[in-house]
Amino acid sequence: RARTADAPGGAEAARPVTLTNPSDEPRTCDLDIDAVAADGTVVESDFAYTDQLAPGESTTVEAFDFIDSENLEAMKTATFEVTRVSAY
């Protein structure tokens, strides 16, 4: 696995993910994300996590920082799907 920022064309693969706590209580949030090719195959999977967001607070984290180098090209055209969300 290569750090996307260090690979040729890799900077475009990393994606910012904004997590927002819409509740009225502090929450820790995590989610799973798939990068999906046009044919529906999953190119890469990753997760995003944040610790204790205050009510209404948002934060942005990077997803897909590390991906398999052979998937760099496919990541440029992938769509992204959230497959699981948890707040606790």
Side-chain angles (χ1 to χ4, degrees), residues 4-80:
T4 55
D6 298 336
E12 298 98 37
R15 294 288 185 248
V17 177
T18 301
L19 301 168
T20 302
N21 177 5
S23 77
D24 58 357
E25 297 180 21
R27 298 275 187 214
T28 294
C29 304
D30 65 85
L31 55 94
D32 294 334
I33 309 162
D34 285 344
V36 182
D39 67 1
T41 60
V42 174
V43 177
E44 289 275 341
S45 296
D46 203 357
F47 69 94
Y49 170 85
T50 187
D51 191 29
Q52 286 295 312
L53 284 176
E57 183 180 10
S58 294
T59 190
T60 301
V61 297
E62 290 288 321
F64 301 99
D65 280 353
F66 292 89
I67 61 170
D68 289 329
S69 56
E70 66 267 11
N71 291 336
L72 281 174
E73 196 61 35
M75 289 293 288
K76 292 179 184 179
T77 57
T79 58
F80 298 88

